Amino acid sequence: MSSVPARAMIAASGRLDMASLFARVGLGPEPDPPTLIDADSFYDVVETIVVDGDDDLPFRYATSLDIDDFGVVGLAFKTATTIHVALERAERYVALLGDAVRYDLRLDAEGGATFVVAGRPAHRLGVAVANEGAIAALVAVCRQAAGPDVDLVPTDVSFAHRPPESIEAAREFFGCPVRYGQDVDAFRLDDTALDTPTRLGDDAISQYVVGHLEEELRVAVAERGLEARVRHVIGNGLADGVPPMRVVANRLGMSERTLHRRLADDDLRYQDLVVDVRRTLATAMLTTTDHTLVDIAFMTGFSDQSAFQRAFKRWTGRTPLSVRRG
């Protein structure tokens, strides 16, 4: 994942041992050029920060961010002509900030859209806090892009994890209903908010910046190994059910036949990768979280708990509960 949000969230904690927290994710105490860091190390640090309770952290973090912190991706966001276009760019180019998260912009029949943090089920506290921070950050940069004279308020915000002890900070930050224990981590904007012009919208600059980002995206995709990319897309989609091979191929910019052939060239089978991703994620959640078996079943792409239990026993020779207890 990108060091930008990691550095900002650690800084927002206000901890006296901030330098040691930076060191744990491989960063120095002074600002340095953005780089990629290990996502699990970041989640470990977040859990250290909030272990004694800090329900406001995601919103202090979001408030501290500036669009320019995200470099060219931030420039593409703030020079989009409308908030809708800005969110489309966030959805497409977040991949340039690392593999830890994916965004989906889902249009609805009423003319609004829901912006979803996808593929990062909250199997541990650090991820839940990071997901809250991601939603808050997107709302914050939308407000920055719209300008101080625009009151940009979501119609609804939802989180998949259980609520913290207090949700007052969330309600105050978003200015709308905030629900927990839902299907997705997301915020919704109505058509009026989506059509809001950005204060720095510029078609000429946008065309130049987007051309640059498209080339960066092409190179980034080409440099990532096929197996890792397929695993990433599968993992990102499990909360909505196991993604069909054609969907994964489409996200990777190729036909289903081409993906099948390239996997075969590496002696890989799509279904084997699906099983391995599901088994790895399920085992991690069983051993590092207190999520119920129903929650784990959902987050690994199963329709019910019994189907998950049967599959897990088939994969590992053990029941989910024996792994949790052991």
Side-chain angles (χ1 to χ4, degrees), residues 6 59 93 104 106 188 194-195 203 269 273 298:
F59 312 108
Y93 300 120
D104 284 340
R106 304 174 183 176
R188 182 184 182 277
L194 289 173
D195 292 339
D203 281 329
R269 293 176 62 248
L273 294 178
F298 167 75

PDB file of all heavy atoms in Angstrom, residues 6 59 93 104 106 188 194-195 203 269 273 298:
ATOM      1  N   ALA A   6      -0.626   5.917   5.188  1.00  0.00           N
ATOM      2  CA  ALA A   6      -0.031   5.359   6.405  1.00  0.00           C
ATOM      3  C   ALA A   6       0.630   6.456   7.230  1.00  0.00           C
ATOM      4  O   ALA A   6       0.424   6.561   8.443  1.00  0.00           O
ATOM      5  CB  ALA A   6       0.986   4.277   6.036  1.00  0.00           C
ATOM      6  N   PHE A  59     -11.236  10.013  11.407  1.00  0.00           N
ATOM      7  CA  PHE A  59     -11.761  11.308  10.975  1.00  0.00           C
ATOM      8  C   PHE A  59     -10.730  12.423  11.181  1.00  0.00           C
ATOM      9  O   PHE A  59     -10.688  13.382  10.399  1.00  0.00           O
ATOM     10  CB  PHE A  59     -13.081  11.571  11.712  1.00  0.00           C
ATOM     11  CG  PHE A  59     -13.970  10.360  11.638  1.00  0.00           C
ATOM     12  CD1 PHE A  59     -14.190   9.570  12.750  1.00  0.00           C
ATOM     13  CD2 PHE A  59     -14.505   9.959  10.419  1.00  0.00           C
ATOM     14  CE1 PHE A  59     -14.967   8.422  12.663  1.00  0.00           C
ATOM     15  CE2 PHE A  59     -15.273   8.809  10.321  1.00  0.00           C
ATOM     16  CZ  PHE A  59     -15.504   8.036  11.442  1.00  0.00           C
ATOM     17  N   TYR A  93      -7.630   4.819 -10.780  1.00  0.00           N
ATOM     18  CA  TYR A  93      -6.204   5.007 -10.551  1.00  0.00           C
ATOM     19  C   TYR A  93      -5.738   4.686  -9.135  1.00  0.00           C
ATOM     20  O   TYR A  93      -4.556   4.831  -8.833  1.00  0.00           O
ATOM     21  CB  TYR A  93      -5.803   6.433 -10.931  1.00  0.00           C
ATOM     22  CG  TYR A  93      -6.083   6.740 -12.381  1.00  0.00           C
ATOM     23  CD1 TYR A  93      -6.940   7.777 -12.747  1.00  0.00           C
ATOM     24  CD2 TYR A  93      -5.531   5.963 -13.394  1.00  0.00           C
ATOM     25  CE1 TYR A  93      -7.225   8.038 -14.082  1.00  0.00           C
ATOM     26  CE2 TYR A  93      -5.810   6.204 -14.730  1.00  0.00           C
ATOM     27  CZ  TYR A  93      -6.655   7.246 -15.063  1.00  0.00           C
ATOM     28  OH  TYR A  93      -6.938   7.494 -16.391  1.00  0.00           O
ATOM     29  N   ASP A 104     -15.100   0.752  -6.029  1.00  0.00           N
ATOM     30  CA  ASP A 104     -16.149   0.549  -7.031  1.00  0.00           C
ATOM     31  C   ASP A 104     -17.134   1.708  -6.948  1.00  0.00           C
ATOM     32  O   ASP A 104     -17.626   2.035  -5.855  1.00  0.00           O
ATOM     33  CB  ASP A 104     -16.922  -0.760  -6.787  1.00  0.00           C
ATOM     34  CG  ASP A 104     -16.141  -1.988  -7.212  1.00  0.00           C
ATOM     35  OD1 ASP A 104     -15.204  -1.832  -8.013  1.00  0.00           O
ATOM     36  OD2 ASP A 104     -16.467  -3.091  -6.744  1.00  0.00           O
ATOM     37  N   ARG A 106     -20.737   2.639  -8.023  1.00  0.00           N
ATOM     38  CA  ARG A 106     -21.936   1.936  -8.463  1.00  0.00           C
ATOM     39  C   ARG A 106     -23.093   2.922  -8.627  1.00  0.00           C
ATOM     40  O   ARG A 106     -23.582   3.489  -7.651  1.00  0.00           O
ATOM     41  CB  ARG A 106     -22.310   0.843  -7.463  1.00  0.00           C
ATOM     42  CG  ARG A 106     -21.168  -0.155  -7.219  1.00  0.00           C
ATOM     43  CD  ARG A 106     -21.484  -1.156  -6.129  1.00  0.00           C
ATOM     44  NE  ARG A 106     -20.352  -2.053  -5.880  1.00  0.00           N
ATOM     45  CZ  ARG A 106     -20.322  -2.981  -4.928  1.00  0.00           C
ATOM     46  NH1 ARG A 106     -21.363  -3.119  -4.111  1.00  0.00           N
ATOM     47  NH2 ARG A 106     -19.251  -3.750  -4.784  1.00  0.00           N
ATOM     48  N   ARG A 188     -22.797   7.162  -0.151  1.00  0.00           N
ATOM     49  CA  ARG A 188     -23.630   7.442  -1.323  1.00  0.00           C
ATOM     50  C   ARG A 188     -23.796   8.941  -1.484  1.00  0.00           C
ATOM     51  O   ARG A 188     -23.999   9.679  -0.501  1.00  0.00           O
ATOM     52  CB  ARG A 188     -25.009   6.786  -1.194  1.00  0.00           C
ATOM     53  CG  ARG A 188     -25.896   7.020  -2.416  1.00  0.00           C
ATOM     54  CD  ARG A 188     -27.297   6.453  -2.251  1.00  0.00           C
ATOM     55  NE  ARG A 188     -28.079   6.672  -3.454  1.00  0.00           N
ATOM     56  CZ  ARG A 188     -28.733   7.809  -3.740  1.00  0.00           C
ATOM     57  NH1 ARG A 188     -28.675   8.831  -2.885  1.00  0.00           N
ATOM     58  NH2 ARG A 188     -29.410   7.941  -4.864  1.00  0.00           N
ATOM     59  N   LEU A 194     -23.141  14.620  -7.108  1.00  0.00           N
ATOM     60  CA  LEU A 194     -22.295  14.083  -8.173  1.00  0.00           C
ATOM     61  C   LEU A 194     -22.024  15.116  -9.263  1.00  0.00           C
ATOM     62  O   LEU A 194     -20.936  15.166  -9.840  1.00  0.00           O
ATOM     63  CB  LEU A 194     -22.928  12.842  -8.793  1.00  0.00           C
ATOM     64  CG  LEU A 194     -22.944  11.574  -7.943  1.00  0.00           C
ATOM     65  CD1 LEU A 194     -23.754  10.488  -8.638  1.00  0.00           C
ATOM     66  CD2 LEU A 194     -21.533  11.081  -7.663  1.00  0.00           C
ATOM     67  N   ASP A 195     -23.024  15.921  -9.563  1.00  0.00           N
ATOM     68  CA  ASP A 195     -22.900  16.915 -10.634  1.00  0.00           C
ATOM     69  C   ASP A 195     -22.219  18.204 -10.183  1.00  0.00           C
ATOM     70  O   ASP A 195     -22.066  19.142 -10.980  1.00  0.00           O
ATOM     71  CB  ASP A 195     -24.283  17.247 -11.203  1.00  0.00           C
ATOM     72  CG  ASP A 195     -24.903  16.070 -11.947  1.00  0.00           C
ATOM     73  OD1 ASP A 195     -24.148  15.176 -12.362  1.00  0.00           O
ATOM     74  OD2 ASP A 195     -26.139  16.041 -12.097  1.00  0.00           O
ATOM     75  N   ASP A 203     -10.248  20.970 -18.350  1.00  0.00           N
ATOM     76  CA  ASP A 203     -10.203  19.896 -19.351  1.00  0.00           C
ATOM     77  C   ASP A 203      -8.807  19.701 -19.921  1.00  0.00           C
ATOM     78  O   ASP A 203      -8.350  18.566 -20.115  1.00  0.00           O
ATOM     79  CB  ASP A 203     -11.188  20.191 -20.491  1.00  0.00           C
ATOM     80  CG  ASP A 203     -12.614  19.844 -20.112  1.00  0.00           C
ATOM     81  OD1 ASP A 203     -12.789  18.908 -19.312  1.00  0.00           O
ATOM     82  OD2 ASP A 203     -13.537  20.491 -20.613  1.00  0.00           O
ATOM     83  N   ARG A 269      -4.261 -23.239 -12.486  1.00  0.00           N
ATOM     84  CA  ARG A 269      -5.685 -23.349 -12.793  1.00  0.00           C
ATOM     85  C   ARG A 269      -6.437 -22.297 -11.998  1.00  0.00           C
ATOM     86  O   ARG A 269      -6.168 -22.097 -10.797  1.00  0.00           O
ATOM     87  CB  ARG A 269      -6.230 -24.735 -12.456  1.00  0.00           C
ATOM     88  CG  ARG A 269      -5.676 -25.864 -13.322  1.00  0.00           C
ATOM     89  CD  ARG A 269      -6.184 -27.222 -12.865  1.00  0.00           C
ATOM     90  NE  ARG A 269      -7.639 -27.327 -12.979  1.00  0.00           N
ATOM     91  CZ  ARG A 269      -8.479 -27.415 -11.968  1.00  0.00           C
ATOM     92  NH1 ARG A 269      -8.037 -27.355 -10.715  1.00  0.00           N
ATOM     93  NH2 ARG A 269      -9.778 -27.539 -12.173  1.00  0.00           N
ATOM     94  N   LEU A 273      -6.530 -21.349  -7.751  1.00  0.00           N
ATOM     95  CA  LEU A 273      -6.209 -20.050  -7.161  1.00  0.00           C
ATOM     96  C   LEU A 273      -7.357 -19.550  -6.298  1.00  0.00           C
ATOM     97  O   LEU A 273      -7.140 -18.995  -5.212  1.00  0.00           O
ATOM     98  CB  LEU A 273      -5.890 -19.038  -8.262  1.00  0.00           C
ATOM     99  CG  LEU A 273      -4.624 -19.306  -9.092  1.00  0.00           C
ATOM    100  CD1 LEU A 273      -4.466 -18.247 -10.170  1.00  0.00           C
ATOM    101  CD2 LEU A 273      -3.393 -19.351  -8.207  1.00  0.00           C
ATOM    102  N   PHE A 298     -19.358 -15.183   4.661  1.00  0.00           N
ATOM    103  CA  PHE A 298     -19.741 -14.126   3.730  1.00  0.00           C
ATOM    104  C   PHE A 298     -18.506 -13.498   3.088  1.00  0.00           C
ATOM    105  O   PHE A 298     -18.445 -13.306   1.869  1.00  0.00           O
ATOM    106  CB  PHE A 298     -20.560 -13.058   4.451  1.00  0.00           C
ATOM    107  CG  PHE A 298     -20.743 -11.795   3.663  1.00  0.00           C
ATOM    108  CD1 PHE A 298     -21.620 -11.737   2.599  1.00  0.00           C
ATOM    109  CD2 PHE A 298     -20.014 -10.649   3.980  1.00  0.00           C
ATOM    110  CE1 PHE A 298     -21.775 -10.574   1.859  1.00  0.00           C
ATOM    111  CE2 PHE A 298     -20.161  -9.486   3.252  1.00  0.00           C
ATOM    112  CZ  PHE A 298     -21.052  -9.457   2.191  1.00  0.00           C
TER     113      PHE A 298
END
